[in-house]
Short mmCIF file of all heavy atoms in Angstrom, two decimals:
data_model
loop_
_atom_site.label_atom_id
_atom_site.label_comp_id
_atom_site.label_asym_id
_atom_site.label_seq_id
_atom_site.Cartn_x
_atom_site.Cartn_y
_atom_site.Cartn_z
N MET A 6 -34.93 -126.73 44.54
CA MET A 6 -34.09 -125.73 43.87
C MET A 6 -34.99 -124.63 43.33
O MET A 6 -35.89 -124.86 42.57
CB MET A 6 -33.35 -126.44 42.68
CG MET A 6 -32.47 -127.51 43.06
SD MET A 6 -31.02 -126.98 43.96
CE MET A 6 -30.12 -126.04 42.77
N ILE A 7 -34.60 -123.35 43.73
CA ILE A 7 -35.45 -122.20 43.36
C ILE A 7 -34.48 -121.24 42.65
O ILE A 7 -33.46 -120.85 43.18
CB ILE A 7 -36.04 -121.50 44.60
CG1 ILE A 7 -36.80 -122.50 45.48
CG2 ILE A 7 -36.83 -120.30 44.20
CD1 ILE A 7 -38.06 -123.08 44.85
N HIS A 8 -34.90 -120.81 41.43
CA HIS A 8 -34.15 -119.71 40.75
C HIS A 8 -34.69 -118.45 41.31
O HIS A 8 -35.89 -118.25 41.38
CB HIS A 8 -34.38 -119.84 39.24
CG HIS A 8 -33.74 -118.66 38.54
ND1 HIS A 8 -34.47 -117.50 38.23
CD2 HIS A 8 -32.48 -118.37 38.14
CE1 HIS A 8 -33.70 -116.61 37.67
NE2 HIS A 8 -32.48 -117.12 37.63
N ALA A 9 -33.83 -117.50 41.64
CA ALA A 9 -34.25 -116.22 42.13
C ALA A 9 -33.22 -115.13 41.77
O ALA A 9 -32.05 -115.39 41.41
CB ALA A 9 -34.37 -116.30 43.68
N GLU A 10 -33.68 -113.91 41.84
CA GLU A 10 -32.79 -112.71 41.53
C GLU A 10 -32.06 -112.28 42.79
O GLU A 10 -30.88 -112.00 42.75
CB GLU A 10 -33.61 -111.64 40.90
CG GLU A 10 -34.11 -112.00 39.50
CD GLU A 10 -32.94 -112.23 38.53
OE1 GLU A 10 -31.96 -111.50 38.49
OE2 GLU A 10 -33.05 -113.22 37.75
N ASP A 11 -32.80 -112.10 43.87
CA ASP A 11 -32.29 -111.53 45.10
C ASP A 11 -31.93 -112.61 46.15
O ASP A 11 -32.61 -112.82 47.10
CB ASP A 11 -33.31 -110.57 45.68
CG ASP A 11 -32.83 -109.86 46.94
OD1 ASP A 11 -31.58 -109.87 47.22
OD2 ASP A 11 -33.64 -109.25 47.64
N ILE A 12 -30.80 -113.26 45.90
CA ILE A 12 -30.35 -114.36 46.78
C ILE A 12 -30.17 -113.93 48.24
O ILE A 12 -30.63 -114.52 49.17
CB ILE A 12 -29.05 -115.02 46.22
CG1 ILE A 12 -29.28 -115.52 44.77
CG2 ILE A 12 -28.57 -116.12 47.14
CD1 ILE A 12 -30.38 -116.50 44.59
N ASP A 13 -29.52 -112.77 48.40
CA ASP A 13 -29.21 -112.31 49.75
C ASP A 13 -30.50 -111.94 50.49
O ASP A 13 -30.65 -112.25 51.65
CB ASP A 13 -28.27 -111.09 49.64
CG ASP A 13 -26.92 -111.51 49.10
OD1 ASP A 13 -26.79 -111.69 47.87
OD2 ASP A 13 -25.96 -111.68 49.89
N GLY A 14 -31.42 -111.28 49.80
CA GLY A 14 -32.74 -110.87 50.44
C GLY A 14 -33.55 -112.09 50.76
O GLY A 14 -34.13 -112.15 51.89
N ILE A 15 -33.66 -113.06 49.93
CA ILE A 15 -34.39 -114.24 50.19
C ILE A 15 -33.82 -115.00 51.36
O ILE A 15 -34.49 -115.42 52.30
CB ILE A 15 -34.47 -115.21 48.95
CG1 ILE A 15 -35.45 -114.57 47.92
CG2 ILE A 15 -34.89 -116.56 49.32
CD1 ILE A 15 -35.47 -115.29 46.61
N TYR A 16 -32.49 -115.18 51.36
CA TYR A 16 -31.80 -115.84 52.49
C TYR A 16 -32.14 -115.12 53.76
O TYR A 16 -32.52 -115.81 54.77
CB TYR A 16 -30.33 -115.90 52.27
CG TYR A 16 -29.58 -116.45 53.36
CD1 TYR A 16 -29.42 -117.83 53.56
CD2 TYR A 16 -28.94 -115.63 54.28
CE1 TYR A 16 -28.72 -118.34 54.64
CE2 TYR A 16 -28.28 -116.10 55.40
CZ TYR A 16 -28.16 -117.49 55.56
OH TYR A 16 -27.50 -118.00 56.64
N GLN A 17 -31.97 -113.85 53.83
CA GLN A 17 -32.21 -113.09 55.05
C GLN A 17 -33.69 -113.20 55.57
O GLN A 17 -33.90 -113.37 56.77
CB GLN A 17 -31.80 -111.62 54.94
CG GLN A 17 -31.70 -110.94 56.26
CD GLN A 17 -30.68 -111.54 57.16
OE1 GLN A 17 -29.53 -111.76 56.82
NE2 GLN A 17 -31.10 -111.96 58.33
N ARG A 18 -34.62 -113.09 54.64
CA ARG A 18 -35.99 -113.28 55.01
C ARG A 18 -36.28 -114.66 55.59
O ARG A 18 -36.95 -114.79 56.60
CB ARG A 18 -36.98 -112.98 53.81
CG ARG A 18 -37.14 -111.54 53.50
CD ARG A 18 -38.27 -111.28 52.53
NE ARG A 18 -38.16 -111.97 51.27
CZ ARG A 18 -37.46 -111.56 50.22
NH1 ARG A 18 -36.75 -110.44 50.34
NH2 ARG A 18 -37.41 -112.24 49.09
N ALA A 19 -35.74 -115.66 54.95
CA ALA A 19 -35.92 -117.03 55.43
C ALA A 19 -35.36 -117.22 56.83
O ALA A 19 -36.08 -117.79 57.69
CB ALA A 19 -35.23 -118.01 54.45
N ILE A 20 -34.20 -116.72 57.06
CA ILE A 20 -33.61 -116.88 58.39
C ILE A 20 -34.41 -116.00 59.45
O ILE A 20 -34.63 -116.48 60.55
CB ILE A 20 -32.10 -116.42 58.40
CG1 ILE A 20 -31.33 -117.34 57.40
CG2 ILE A 20 -31.54 -116.49 59.82
CD1 ILE A 20 -31.55 -118.81 57.50
N ASP A 21 -34.82 -114.87 59.06
CA ASP A 21 -35.54 -113.96 59.98
C ASP A 21 -36.89 -114.58 60.45
O ASP A 21 -37.36 -114.26 61.52
CB ASP A 21 -35.81 -112.58 59.33
CG ASP A 21 -34.57 -111.77 59.20
OD1 ASP A 21 -33.51 -112.09 59.81
OD2 ASP A 21 -34.63 -110.75 58.46
N ILE A 22 -37.49 -115.41 59.63
CA ILE A 22 -38.80 -115.92 60.02
C ILE A 22 -38.80 -117.40 60.35
O ILE A 22 -39.84 -118.07 60.27
CB ILE A 22 -39.90 -115.61 58.92
CG1 ILE A 22 -39.56 -116.24 57.61
CG2 ILE A 22 -40.09 -114.11 58.78
CD1 ILE A 22 -40.70 -116.18 56.59
N GLY A 23 -37.67 -117.94 60.65
CA GLY A 23 -37.65 -119.30 61.22
C GLY A 23 -36.94 -120.35 60.36
O GLY A 23 -36.89 -121.52 60.73
N GLY A 24 -36.38 -120.01 59.18
CA GLY A 24 -35.60 -120.90 58.43
C GLY A 24 -34.27 -121.12 59.13
O GLY A 24 -33.82 -120.30 59.96
N ARG A 25 -33.60 -122.24 58.91
CA ARG A 25 -32.31 -122.56 59.51
C ARG A 25 -31.23 -122.60 58.45
O ARG A 25 -31.34 -123.30 57.46
CB ARG A 25 -32.41 -123.88 60.24
CG ARG A 25 -31.39 -124.12 61.29
CD ARG A 25 -31.73 -125.29 62.19
NE ARG A 25 -32.46 -126.38 61.55
CZ ARG A 25 -31.93 -127.28 60.72
NH1 ARG A 25 -30.60 -127.25 60.44
NH2 ARG A 25 -32.68 -128.23 60.14
N SER A 26 -30.23 -121.80 58.65
CA SER A 26 -29.13 -121.64 57.65
C SER A 26 -28.38 -122.94 57.42
O SER A 26 -28.09 -123.68 58.36
CB SER A 26 -28.18 -120.54 58.13
OG SER A 26 -27.09 -120.47 57.23
N SER A 27 -28.04 -123.14 56.21
CA SER A 27 -27.16 -124.22 55.81
C SER A 27 -25.87 -123.59 55.18
O SER A 27 -24.77 -123.95 55.56
CB SER A 27 -27.77 -125.19 54.73
OG SER A 27 -26.89 -126.18 54.42
N SER A 28 -26.03 -122.67 54.27
CA SER A 28 -24.84 -121.95 53.74
C SER A 28 -25.24 -120.51 53.46
O SER A 28 -26.32 -120.24 52.86
CB SER A 28 -24.35 -122.62 52.46
OG SER A 28 -25.23 -122.56 51.41
N LEU A 29 -24.34 -119.63 53.78
CA LEU A 29 -24.51 -118.18 53.51
C LEU A 29 -24.53 -117.97 51.99
O LEU A 29 -23.92 -118.73 51.25
CB LEU A 29 -23.40 -117.35 54.17
CG LEU A 29 -23.40 -117.44 55.67
CD1 LEU A 29 -22.04 -116.80 56.14
CD2 LEU A 29 -24.55 -116.67 56.26
N PRO A 30 -25.08 -116.85 51.55
CA PRO A 30 -25.01 -116.51 50.10
C PRO A 30 -23.52 -116.39 49.68
O PRO A 30 -22.69 -115.77 50.35
CB PRO A 30 -25.67 -115.16 50.04
CG PRO A 30 -26.61 -115.08 51.20
CD PRO A 30 -25.89 -115.85 52.27
N SER A 31 -23.22 -117.14 48.59
CA SER A 31 -21.80 -117.06 48.07
C SER A 31 -21.83 -117.37 46.55
O SER A 31 -22.75 -117.94 46.05
CB SER A 31 -20.93 -118.12 48.82
OG SER A 31 -21.50 -119.43 48.68
N ASP A 32 -20.73 -116.98 45.96
CA ASP A 32 -20.57 -117.18 44.52
C ASP A 32 -19.65 -118.45 44.29
O ASP A 32 -18.81 -118.71 45.11
CB ASP A 32 -19.84 -115.97 43.85
CG ASP A 32 -20.68 -114.71 43.94
OD1 ASP A 32 -21.82 -114.78 44.27
OD2 ASP A 32 -20.13 -113.57 43.76
N TRP A 33 -19.96 -119.11 43.18
CA TRP A 33 -19.22 -120.33 42.88
C TRP A 33 -19.27 -120.58 41.33
O TRP A 33 -20.11 -119.96 40.69
CB TRP A 33 -19.71 -121.55 43.66
CG TRP A 33 -21.16 -121.86 43.50
CD1 TRP A 33 -22.24 -121.19 44.01
CD2 TRP A 33 -21.75 -122.90 42.72
NE1 TRP A 33 -23.42 -121.73 43.60
CE2 TRP A 33 -23.12 -122.77 42.82
CE3 TRP A 33 -21.19 -123.94 41.90
CZ2 TRP A 33 -24.02 -123.66 42.19
CZ3 TRP A 33 -22.05 -124.78 41.27
CH2 TRP A 33 -23.46 -124.67 41.47
N THR A 34 -18.47 -121.45 40.86
CA THR A 34 -18.40 -121.70 39.45
C THR A 34 -18.34 -123.21 39.15
O THR A 34 -18.00 -123.96 39.93
CB THR A 34 -17.17 -121.06 38.72
OG1 THR A 34 -16.02 -121.63 39.35
CG2 THR A 34 -17.15 -119.53 38.97
N VAL A 35 -18.81 -123.48 37.93
CA VAL A 35 -18.70 -124.85 37.37
C VAL A 35 -18.16 -124.70 35.92
O VAL A 35 -18.44 -123.69 35.28
CB VAL A 35 -20.02 -125.65 37.38
CG1 VAL A 35 -20.47 -125.89 38.78
CG2 VAL A 35 -21.08 -125.00 36.56
N PRO A 36 -17.51 -125.75 35.42
CA PRO A 36 -17.10 -125.70 34.01
C PRO A 36 -18.33 -125.73 33.08
O PRO A 36 -19.28 -126.38 33.37
CB PRO A 36 -16.22 -126.93 33.79
CG PRO A 36 -16.00 -127.47 35.16
CD PRO A 36 -17.02 -126.93 36.09
N HIS A 37 -18.26 -124.90 31.99
CA HIS A 37 -19.29 -124.98 30.99
C HIS A 37 -19.28 -126.36 30.35
O HIS A 37 -18.22 -126.90 30.05
CB HIS A 37 -19.04 -123.85 29.94
CG HIS A 37 -20.17 -123.62 29.02
ND1 HIS A 37 -20.44 -124.51 28.00
CD2 HIS A 37 -21.04 -122.65 28.95
CE1 HIS A 37 -21.48 -124.09 27.32
NE2 HIS A 37 -21.89 -122.95 27.92
N PRO A 38 -20.49 -126.96 30.10
CA PRO A 38 -20.50 -128.31 29.57
C PRO A 38 -19.88 -128.47 28.15
O PRO A 38 -19.52 -129.57 27.76
CB PRO A 38 -22.00 -128.67 29.52
CG PRO A 38 -22.70 -127.40 29.62
CD PRO A 38 -21.80 -126.41 30.34
N GLU A 39 -19.76 -127.34 27.47
CA GLU A 39 -19.19 -127.42 26.10
C GLU A 39 -17.76 -126.84 26.11
O GLU A 39 -17.24 -126.47 25.00
CB GLU A 39 -20.05 -126.70 25.09
CG GLU A 39 -21.39 -127.35 24.90
CD GLU A 39 -22.35 -126.62 24.03
OE1 GLU A 39 -21.94 -125.58 23.39
OE2 GLU A 39 -23.52 -127.07 23.92
N GLY A 40 -17.14 -126.68 27.26
CA GLY A 40 -15.78 -126.17 27.38
C GLY A 40 -15.62 -124.74 27.02
O GLY A 40 -14.57 -124.29 26.56
N LEU A 41 -16.67 -123.93 27.30
CA LEU A 41 -16.61 -122.51 26.94
C LEU A 41 -16.22 -121.60 28.15
O LEU A 41 -16.62 -120.48 28.25
CB LEU A 41 -18.03 -122.04 26.44
CG LEU A 41 -18.55 -122.76 25.21
CD1 LEU A 41 -19.98 -122.27 24.87
CD2 LEU A 41 -17.61 -122.56 24.04
N GLY A 42 -15.45 -122.14 29.07
CA GLY A 42 -15.05 -121.40 30.25
C GLY A 42 -15.85 -121.85 31.42
O GLY A 42 -16.10 -123.05 31.60
N THR A 43 -16.21 -120.90 32.34
CA THR A 43 -16.99 -121.32 33.50
C THR A 43 -18.27 -120.58 33.60
O THR A 43 -18.49 -119.47 33.07
CB THR A 43 -16.15 -121.02 34.83
OG1 THR A 43 -15.87 -119.61 34.78
CG2 THR A 43 -14.88 -121.81 34.83
N ILE A 44 -19.23 -121.20 34.25
CA ILE A 44 -20.55 -120.63 34.58
C ILE A 44 -20.51 -120.19 36.04
O ILE A 44 -20.05 -120.98 36.88
CB ILE A 44 -21.68 -121.63 34.36
CG1 ILE A 44 -21.63 -122.17 32.93
CG2 ILE A 44 -23.00 -120.96 34.65
CD1 ILE A 44 -22.55 -123.35 32.67
N LYS A 45 -20.91 -118.96 36.31
CA LYS A 45 -20.84 -118.41 37.66
C LYS A 45 -22.23 -118.29 38.21
O LYS A 45 -23.18 -117.87 37.55
CB LYS A 45 -20.15 -117.07 37.68
CG LYS A 45 -19.93 -116.48 39.04
CD LYS A 45 -19.10 -115.21 38.97
CE LYS A 45 -18.88 -114.60 40.32
NZ LYS A 45 -18.18 -113.35 40.29
N PHE A 46 -22.39 -118.70 39.48
CA PHE A 46 -23.65 -118.68 40.18
C PHE A 46 -23.51 -117.98 41.55
O PHE A 46 -22.42 -117.88 42.08
CB PHE A 46 -24.18 -120.13 40.50
CG PHE A 46 -24.46 -120.99 39.32
CD1 PHE A 46 -23.48 -121.81 38.82
CD2 PHE A 46 -25.72 -120.94 38.77
CE1 PHE A 46 -23.73 -122.58 37.68
CE2 PHE A 46 -25.95 -121.74 37.63
CZ PHE A 46 -25.00 -122.58 37.13
N ARG A 47 -24.60 -117.54 42.07
CA ARG A 47 -24.68 -117.11 43.49
C ARG A 47 -25.80 -117.96 44.12
O ARG A 47 -26.90 -118.05 43.58
CB ARG A 47 -25.08 -115.62 43.60
CG ARG A 47 -25.14 -115.16 45.06
CD ARG A 47 -24.80 -113.66 45.16
NE ARG A 47 -24.73 -113.22 46.50
CZ ARG A 47 -23.60 -113.33 47.25
NH1 ARG A 47 -22.53 -113.79 46.78
NH2 ARG A 47 -23.63 -112.85 48.50
N THR A 48 -25.45 -118.60 45.26
CA THR A 48 -26.35 -119.51 45.86
C THR A 48 -26.35 -119.33 47.42
O THR A 48 -25.35 -119.02 48.00
CB THR A 48 -25.92 -120.99 45.54
OG1 THR A 48 -25.97 -121.16 44.14
CG2 THR A 48 -26.78 -121.99 46.15
#
């Protein structure tokens, strides 16, 4: 697991130099552990 700022750029560089795609960059959410709404990620 890598935290990064430029998800789309990292993904594209990885694929361009021989990485194999598993999932395209996309946004998703999970419930906040203290019930404060949702946490949004890009992965």
Side-chain angles (χ1 to χ4, degrees):
M6 300 290 295
I7 308 294
H8 172 267
E10 292 298 316
D11 182 14
I12 303 303
D13 297 78
I15 286 172
Y16 174 83
Q17 194 58 56
R18 282 193 303 277
I20 301 311
D21 288 349
I22 62 170
R25 200 166 31 78
S26 178
S27 180
S28 66
L29 295 169
S31 59
D32 296 345
W33 58 285
T34 61
V35 296
H37 191 285
E39 296 177 6
L41 301 178
T43 58
I44 304 170
K45 185 176 182 180
F46 297 94
R47 182 154 186 82
T48 300

